[in-house]
Amino acid sequence: MSTTASARTAADLRADDTKGPTAGSKAGAAASWVDERTGIAKGAAFMMKKVFPDHWSFMLGEVAMYSMIICLLTGVFLSFWFIPSAGQIPYNGSYLPLQGVVMSEAYSSTLAISFDVRGGLLIRQIHHWAALMFCVAITVHMLRVFLTGAFRKPRELNWVIGTILSMLAIVEGFAGYSLPDDLLSGTGIRAAEGFIRSIPLVGSYISYLMFGGTFPGEAIIPRLYSVHVLLLPAVLIGLFTAHIVLVMVHKHTQFPGPGRTNENVVGFPLMPVYTAKAGGFFFMVFGVLAIISALVTINPIWAYGPYDPSPVTAGSQPDWYMGFADGALRLLPGFLEFELFGFTWSMNVFLGAVALIPVMYTVAGVYPWIEAWVTGDTREHHLLDRPRNAPTRTAIGLAAFSFYVVLFLAAGNDIMAIRLQLSINDVTNLFRLLVFVVPVIVFWVTRRICWSLQRHDREKVLHGRESGTIIRTAEGKFFERHDDIDEFERWNLVAFESPAPLALPAAVDGNGVSSKEAKKARRRVAWSNFYFKTRVEPVTPAELAAAHHHGEHEAIPGGSAPAAIKHDKHPS
């Protein structure tokens, strides 16, 4: 009997294979078909390999994005039943206290969503809470970007997009807040009509066009609805898309650390790690908003009743994101209203209610160019600053935030006066003082805290961490043993730049003629000294070696850097 196997071809070996395409081959064929016609595979592969760094503060932007997505999803649901009409009809719904009351169709349909549509009230609550969360998250995200210097070249344009997004979020929130046409939101529209009228020269014309005649009219609700569900969402989505695309193009910023440079990104790829984390975080945000919406009532319009121009809700206040503008309106003195050239100029209303918001966001938007002009730094930055390592910028940011907080608190001056049994005039005058004093104090205290933290970091690098162990030498001397810190912790404490103030150029040129450039540079040098005159430099390898060699416990003072930017190196 022969043991030699007969030769078989490749076709013979595949003869017994299962015929017909599998699920995987179908998906692959579909992907190939799409790629052959769109060329999307190369771009998709690049995106899947895109690396994103990992830090808890980066989630703030994600919370804003997910909150906006939740607003869009719940808004679509609400649009199925909401009727954007100010036409008056008698209410015949299931909420008994209002049956038979004449109200607008907008208010009636909102009541129907709340009481007659299954799950409608929960969706309304989620929509409102998500809108508030969106405004909170985008504000805190902007503060994080500012304090860490993530707005520097090449991300100036993305910073401007962020400021526009934040400002439009306020307008979008106010438009949606006004749609139910209840007594509280109607009072807000009435106040907005007064704000518009305060615009010099053209205010009354703009008000007439917006309301389709005199207030209240029946045109404002459908017009606000179009702005709320069509115009502003389209702009917000477009800006968000541009924001994300620019993040991809510039690569995500990262905090300094071992192996992290301006030329690389240390983190996780988009697929599968980052996508899985982002997806899970989205459902966490959705779940938290759903729990809050199920447990905490917000904007109970049935308790306010339909809008009537004659009454005003006692203690009525807008949503929190409009609080700072409301506070500014309350603090501006009445003498700012005057008559000139036959016109009444209501600057006491216009400056706080209309001009403040665009001015604040314009100043924030141009700040990257202001700092670049002061520092003379035109390099690209992909590594973030620890806030303590940019003391003046951090102090400016927190001073601006304290100004915002004082205006926000001033929006409740009437409630404070009533609850604390104080004179509302005294409370208002106190806030008028605080709006100027608090930012100055916060600036001074914040900058000194940053300097102290920098000196503490320098001390820790040079002498290690205090162990609490007292050692007695043979000569009878006592000293505390300091434990050395590891290289990874040391890197975070020394990997920063300490810019020196710019030097004033010579007042005359080589021919003894007065230099025009010197005159132009004086203002810039003055601002540079304001930013960097007092500074703490990072520890150099030589200073670290000297401290370890001598075992001294006093900090070794650093020398002044001769250049505007001193590049630090990692201690060996």
Side-chain angles (χ1 to χ4, degrees), residues 522-545:
R522 285 196 184 98
R523 187 180 294 107
R524 183 178 177 187
V525 170
W527 278 105
S528 180
N529 278 280
F530 170 74
Y531 266 73
F532 306 120
K533 185 176 181 179
T534 303
R535 61 201 181 98
V536 179
E537 294 189 39
V539 176
T540 64
E543 291 171 337
L544 181 62

Tab-separated table of all heavy atoms in Angstrom, residues 522-545:
chain	number	residue	atom	x	y	z
A	522	ARG	N	8.382	102.263	23.364
A	522	ARG	CA	8.272	102.583	24.791
A	522	ARG	C	7.012	101.983	25.409
A	522	ARG	O	7.039	101.426	26.502
A	522	ARG	CB	8.280	104.110	24.988
A	522	ARG	CG	9.649	104.737	24.815
A	522	ARG	CD	9.681	106.150	25.392
A	522	ARG	NE	10.971	106.770	25.142
A	522	ARG	CZ	11.219	107.607	24.154
A	522	ARG	NH1	10.247	107.909	23.302
A	522	ARG	NH2	12.419	108.138	23.999
A	523	ARG	N	5.898	102.129	24.698
A	523	ARG	CA	4.648	101.593	25.238
A	523	ARG	C	4.707	100.072	25.344
A	523	ARG	O	4.265	99.493	26.341
A	523	ARG	CB	3.478	102.010	24.342
A	523	ARG	CG	2.110	101.630	24.918
A	523	ARG	CD	0.967	102.063	24.017
A	523	ARG	NE	0.858	103.513	23.934
A	523	ARG	CZ	1.193	104.228	22.872
A	523	ARG	NH1	1.670	103.603	21.777
A	523	ARG	NH2	1.056	105.523	22.863
A	524	ARG	N	5.279	99.440	24.338
A	524	ARG	CA	5.382	97.982	24.357
A	524	ARG	C	6.296	97.512	25.482
A	524	ARG	O	5.997	96.523	26.164
A	524	ARG	CB	5.907	97.499	23.014
A	524	ARG	CG	5.985	95.999	22.869
A	524	ARG	CD	6.483	95.646	21.483
A	524	ARG	NE	6.636	94.216	21.319
A	524	ARG	CZ	7.182	93.658	20.247
A	524	ARG	NH1	7.600	94.417	19.248
A	524	ARG	NH2	7.291	92.352	20.167
A	525	VAL	N	7.399	98.221	25.708
A	525	VAL	CA	8.319	97.852	26.786
A	525	VAL	C	7.648	98.040	28.143
A	525	VAL	O	7.839	97.230	29.067
A	525	VAL	CB	9.614	98.683	26.681
A	525	VAL	CG1	10.476	98.503	27.930
A	525	VAL	CG2	10.398	98.292	25.437
A	526	ALA	N	6.842	99.093	28.279
A	526	ALA	CA	6.132	99.318	29.534
A	526	ALA	C	5.182	98.164	29.838
A	526	ALA	O	5.118	97.673	30.976
A	526	ALA	CB	5.368	100.637	29.472
A	527	TRP	N	4.452	97.707	28.823
A	527	TRP	CA	3.553	96.557	29.027
A	527	TRP	C	4.348	95.285	29.290
A	527	TRP	O	3.926	94.444	30.096
A	527	TRP	CB	2.659	96.372	27.811
A	527	TRP	CG	1.470	97.273	27.806
A	527	TRP	CD1	1.274	98.390	27.055
A	527	TRP	CD2	0.306	97.143	28.624
A	527	TRP	NE1	0.070	98.969	27.338
A	527	TRP	CE2	-0.553	98.223	28.302
A	527	TRP	CE3	-0.086	96.229	29.597
A	527	TRP	CZ2	-1.785	98.401	28.923
A	527	TRP	CZ3	-1.322	96.394	30.210
A	527	TRP	CH2	-2.149	97.470	29.881
A	528	SER	N	5.495	95.132	28.645
A	528	SER	CA	6.329	93.956	28.882
A	528	SER	C	6.822	93.921	30.324
A	528	SER	O	6.862	92.859	30.956
A	528	SER	CB	7.509	93.949	27.912
A	528	SER	OG	8.330	92.820	28.121
A	529	ASN	N	7.193	95.077	30.870
A	529	ASN	CA	7.601	95.140	32.275
A	529	ASN	C	6.435	94.828	33.197
A	529	ASN	O	6.608	94.200	34.241
A	529	ASN	CB	8.172	96.520	32.597
A	529	ASN	CG	9.621	96.656	32.188
A	529	ASN	OD1	10.530	96.199	32.886
A	529	ASN	ND2	9.858	97.269	31.041
A	530	PHE	N	5.238	95.282	32.816
A	530	PHE	CA	4.052	94.973	33.614
A	530	PHE	C	3.817	93.466	33.685
A	530	PHE	O	3.445	92.932	34.728
A	530	PHE	CB	2.837	95.675	32.997
A	530	PHE	CG	1.518	95.255	33.593
A	530	PHE	CD1	1.142	95.682	34.853
A	530	PHE	CD2	0.650	94.430	32.888
A	530	PHE	CE1	-0.069	95.301	35.398
A	530	PHE	CE2	-0.564	94.052	33.420
A	530	PHE	CZ	-0.924	94.485	34.684
A	531	TYR	N	4.073	92.776	32.581
A	531	TYR	CA	3.859	91.331	32.528
A	531	TYR	C	4.989	90.557	33.221
A	531	TYR	O	4.726	89.592	33.947
A	531	TYR	CB	3.765	90.875	31.068
A	531	TYR	CG	2.362	90.800	30.511
A	531	TYR	CD1	1.640	91.946	30.217
A	531	TYR	CD2	1.742	89.577	30.278
A	531	TYR	CE1	0.366	91.888	29.698
A	531	TYR	CE2	0.463	89.500	29.756
A	531	TYR	CZ	-0.224	90.664	29.476
A	531	TYR	OH	-1.495	90.592	28.970
A	532	PHE	N	6.224	90.954	33.002
A	532	PHE	CA	7.345	90.054	33.317
A	532	PHE	C	8.421	90.643	34.221
A	532	PHE	O	9.449	90.000	34.424
A	532	PHE	CB	8.022	89.602	32.013
A	532	PHE	CG	7.082	88.991	31.022
A	532	PHE	CD1	6.923	89.543	29.768
A	532	PHE	CD2	6.334	87.870	31.348
A	532	PHE	CE1	6.047	88.984	28.844
A	532	PHE	CE2	5.456	87.306	30.439
A	532	PHE	CZ	5.315	87.859	29.181
A	533	LYS	N	8.227	91.851	34.773
A	533	LYS	CA	9.294	92.441	35.583
A	533	LYS	C	9.611	91.574	36.787
A	533	LYS	O	10.781	91.350	37.125
A	533	LYS	CB	8.886	93.849	36.029
A	533	LYS	CG	9.991	94.574	36.770
A	533	LYS	CD	9.593	96.002	37.101
A	533	LYS	CE	10.728	96.730	37.815
A	533	LYS	NZ	10.371	98.135	38.128
A	534	THR	N	8.588	91.086	37.471
A	534	THR	CA	8.784	90.153	38.582
A	534	THR	C	8.517	88.749	38.074
A	534	THR	O	7.420	88.457	37.607
A	534	THR	CB	7.838	90.480	39.749
A	534	THR	OG1	8.050	91.832	40.167
A	534	THR	CG2	8.085	89.533	40.904
A	535	ARG	N	9.518	87.888	38.147
A	535	ARG	CA	9.371	86.541	37.603
A	535	ARG	C	10.257	85.570	38.360
A	535	ARG	O	11.222	85.958	39.022
A	535	ARG	CB	9.720	86.512	36.110
A	535	ARG	CG	11.134	86.920	35.794
A	535	ARG	CD	11.287	87.372	34.354
A	535	ARG	NE	12.665	87.742	34.049
A	535	ARG	CZ	13.545	86.961	33.462
A	535	ARG	NH1	13.194	85.733	33.108
A	535	ARG	NH2	14.766	87.364	33.230
A	536	VAL	N	9.897	84.312	38.287
A	536	VAL	CA	10.668	83.230	38.896
A	536	VAL	C	11.090	82.287	37.785
A	536	VAL	O	10.239	81.723	37.086
A	536	VAL	CB	9.839	82.481	39.960
A	536	VAL	CG1	10.654	81.353	40.569
A	536	VAL	CG2	9.355	83.447	41.035
A	537	GLU	N	12.395	82.117	37.631
A	537	GLU	CA	12.895	81.297	36.537
A	537	GLU	C	12.912	79.819	36.927
A	537	GLU	O	13.052	79.481	38.106
A	537	GLU	CB	14.298	81.736	36.141
A	537	GLU	CG	14.351	83.120	35.538
A	537	GLU	CD	15.714	83.422	34.961
A	537	GLU	OE1	16.313	82.492	34.363
A	537	GLU	OE2	16.180	84.551	35.121
A	538	PRO	N	12.807	78.934	35.959
A	538	PRO	CA	12.914	77.497	36.254
A	538	PRO	C	14.331	77.134	36.672
A	538	PRO	O	15.298	77.799	36.306
A	538	PRO	CB	12.538	76.832	34.931
A	538	PRO	CG	12.844	77.861	33.892
A	538	PRO	CD	12.560	79.190	34.527
A	539	VAL	N	14.425	76.084	37.453
A	539	VAL	CA	15.732	75.608	37.919
A	539	VAL	C	16.514	75.048	36.739
A	539	VAL	O	15.983	74.279	35.924
A	539	VAL	CB	15.563	74.540	39.010
A	539	VAL	CG1	16.915	73.973	39.436
A	539	VAL	CG2	14.837	75.133	40.207
A	540	THR	N	17.783	75.413	36.648
A	540	THR	CA	18.652	74.890	35.592
A	540	THR	C	19.387	73.658	36.102
A	540	THR	O	19.501	73.435	37.324
A	540	THR	CB	19.669	75.946	35.160
A	540	THR	OG1	20.528	76.247	36.268
A	540	THR	CG2	18.961	77.226	34.709
A	541	PRO	N	19.922	72.826	35.206
A	541	PRO	CA	20.703	71.660	35.646
A	541	PRO	C	21.878	72.046	36.536
A	541	PRO	O	22.196	71.323	37.492
A	541	PRO	CB	21.166	71.038	34.327
A	541	PRO	CG	20.145	71.470	33.327
A	541	PRO	CD	19.714	72.834	33.744
A	542	ALA	N	22.525	73.173	36.240
A	542	ALA	CA	23.673	73.585	37.065
A	542	ALA	C	23.223	73.923	38.482
A	542	ALA	O	23.900	73.557	39.466
A	542	ALA	CB	24.361	74.787	36.421
A	543	GLU	N	22.097	74.622	38.617
A	543	GLU	CA	21.597	74.957	39.945
A	543	GLU	C	21.194	73.706	40.713
A	543	GLU	O	21.439	73.594	41.921
A	543	GLU	CB	20.402	75.899	39.819
A	543	GLU	CG	20.762	77.292	39.316
A	543	GLU	CD	19.542	78.130	38.993
A	543	GLU	OE1	18.479	77.542	38.740
A	543	GLU	OE2	19.670	79.360	38.983
A	544	LEU	N	20.584	72.756	40.028
A	544	LEU	CA	20.187	71.513	40.682
A	544	LEU	C	21.403	70.733	41.157
A	544	LEU	O	21.441	70.215	42.286
A	544	LEU	CB	19.353	70.667	39.720
A	544	LEU	CG	18.836	69.336	40.262
A	544	LEU	CD1	17.904	69.563	41.440
A	544	LEU	CD2	18.130	68.545	39.171
A	545	ALA	N	22.447	70.656	40.316
A	545	ALA	CA	23.671	69.939	40.703
A	545	ALA	C	24.341	70.619	41.884
A	545	ALA	O	24.827	69.958	42.808
A	545	ALA	CB	24.614	69.861	39.497
